[in-house]
Amino acid sequence: MTKMRTRRLVLDEIAKIKLMERGSITEVSGRGGYKFHSHSVYENGKSKGRHVTKAGVDELNQLIAEHEKFQALVKEYEDLVVQ
């Protein structure tokens, strides 16, 4: 019974995640010392990058953290289900 309740709690935590984003953010130095942030993600066998505004960095970091949390919860659920 405890295992079933734990499964339910993990699924409830997964359901609470409304938005998430894959990838990572890096700070890139451009010409003349100009620095900007790039969001890199691997899609369809290729690495893709896009410019992220300074204002969008914190939000994107949060979305990436939500994806990492999702992955950890899925792994935890798998560990509970697989015998």
Side-chain angles (χ1 to χ4, degrees):
M1 200 66 166
T2 303
K3 203 171 195 179
M4 285 303 289
R5 191 171 337 142
T6 304
R7 288 180 188 181
R8 172 65 14 212
L9 290 174
V10 172
L11 289 173
D12 288 346
E13 285 295 310
I14 290 171
K16 288 178 186 175
I17 299 171
K18 300 300 180 198
L19 295 172
M20 61 181 152
E21 186 68 60
R22 293 185 184 105
S24 62
I25 296 178
T26 55
E27 186 175 75
V28 180
S29 295
R31 292 184 178 164
Y34 172 74
K35 294 187 179 196
F36 63 95
H37 291 87
S38 177
H39 174 220
S40 301
V41 64
Y42 196 73
E43 293 178 346
N44 301 320
K46 294 182 179 181
S47 180
K48 296 186 178 188
R50 67 178 177 92
H51 181 269
V52 180
T53 64
K54 200 175 208 177
V57 171
D58 289 338
E59 181 181 357
L60 188 54
N61 272 327
Q62 182 62 39
L63 292 173
I64 291 170
E66 288 294 298
H67 184 258
E68 291 169 357
K69 178 180 176 183
F70 171 78
Q71 289 178 313
L73 288 167
V74 168
K75 174 70 173 109
E76 183 179 346
Y77 185 79
E78 178 185 35
D79 291 344
L80 290 169
V81 174
V82 175
Q83 296 180 8

